[in-house]
Amino acid sequence: MMNDLLKRAISLGVGITVTSKERIEKYVDDLVRTGDVGPSESKELVARLVQRGEEQQAELKRVVKDQLHSMLAELRVATKEDVERLERRLSTMEAKLPPEATPDATETAAPPAPPAP
């Protein structure tokens, strides 16, 4: 669920960047038409403005990611690394057990016989 939230936030940032690029190009075209910017300067201006938008998008992505990490830490949600670390510990502990005590052996073993009368 949190992964979807992050993806949506990033997609929003990408959408904003694409929309911004289209708007920037239109705005610069208008500036060229009015004579405020020369045609030779327009491509450079668009490139600079688009680059700035991409930098802002990267910053937005970083801020969202930091906020999500903070929220997950606050909620004490286990990370993938936490789960992997616990799986390694469990595997190490299971390796130290006798074969009949491993979870696989107890799942397939017959139930114990009732005590004799």
Side-chain angles (χ1 to χ4, degrees):
M1 180 163 175
M2 288 293 181
N3 198 15
D4 288 339
L5 179 62
L6 179 60
K7 285 179 183 177
R8 287 182 190 159
I10 292 169
S11 293
L12 175 63
V14 170
I16 289 170
T17 300
V18 170
T19 301
S20 296
K21 182 179 181 193
E22 292 169 357
R23 287 185 178 174
I24 288 169
E25 289 172 342
K26 184 178 182 304
Y27 177 71
V28 171
D29 286 343
D30 289 343
L31 291 175
V32 170
R33 274 194 288 272
T34 60
D36 294 326
V37 173
S40 61
E41 300 169 312
S42 67
K43 286 187 180 182
E44 182 183 333
L45 180 58
V46 167
R48 277 189 302 167
L49 292 173
V50 167
Q51 180 182 355
R52 184 161 182 207
E54 289 170 353
E55 290 167 357
Q56 289 175 345
Q57 178 190 2
E59 178 64 14
L60 172 65
K61 180 179 177 180
R62 187 194 63 74
V63 168
V64 168
K65 188 175 180 179
D66 289 348
Q67 289 296 316
L68 281 173
H69 281 290
S70 176
M71 285 179 8
L72 292 174
E74 224 174 271
L75 294 171
R76 301 181 53 84
V77 174
T79 65
K80 181 179 177 182
E81 291 80 18
D82 292 335
V83 172
E84 289 171 350
R85 182 176 42 80
L86 289 172
E87 287 174 343
R88 285 191 303 271
R89 284 183 63 196
L90 184 58
S91 293
T92 302
M93 293 170 74
E94 286 176 339
K96 294 177 181 179
L97 293 174
E100 64 275 0
T102 61
D104 293 336
T106 57
E107 289 176 3
T108 57

